[in-house]
Amino acid sequence: MKKRISETVADLWGVPKDVIMNIPRLTISGDKEIYIENHKGILEYTDREIRISTPMGIVRICGRNLVIDRIRLEDIVISGSFTKVEYEI
């Protein structure tokens, strides 16, 4: 697979790829909190499913009592009881 120039630069400089390539970064704390960086907005939001647009596709979060605790231009924090986190490409 051919590497993109930004990926090669990130490797050479030792910089995290999500910084250079604008890819999403998900930090999951157990089954209670998800922190998503580099999003493009919310597509769907219920207490059982949240779909977030990212530069690489859609992140789909399923569970119970899902709540968006914080949303800013650069990140989103979601809490609840998660049963599934997946990418839709």
Side-chain angles (χ1 to χ4, degrees):
M1 185 157 126
K2 194 173 181 181
K3 274 189 172 182
R4 293 176 17 187
I5 293 173
S6 56
E7 188 174 5
T8 302
V9 169
D11 288 340
L12 289 173
W13 288 353
V15 176
K17 290 180 180 150
D18 59 309
V19 172
I20 298 273
M21 298 174 62
N22 194 34
I23 59 176
R25 174 184 284 199
L26 279 67
T27 304
I28 302 173
S29 300
D31 68 342
K32 302 294 181 207
E33 185 176 84
I34 297 178
Y35 176 72
I36 302 172
E37 294 176 85
N38 298 329
H39 71 90
K40 293 171 65 178
I42 299 168
L43 300 175
E44 184 177 350
Y45 176 29
T46 70
D47 66 337
R48 297 222 171 250
E49 181 176 332
I50 299 175
R51 293 174 66 234
I52 308 288
S53 179
T54 74
M56 293 187 67
I58 297 167
V59 175
R60 181 175 174 238
I61 302 161
C62 299
R64 294 182 313 278
N65 304 318
L66 301 180
V67 175
I68 296 175
D69 290 327
R70 182 181 76 216
I71 182 167
R72 299 188 299 192
L73 288 176
E74 64 275 357
D75 61 22
I76 297 175
V77 177
I78 299 169
S79 64
S81 181
F82 309 121
T83 57
K84 182 180 2 179
V85 178
E86 64 184 12
Y87 279 104
E88 297 175 4
I89 299 176

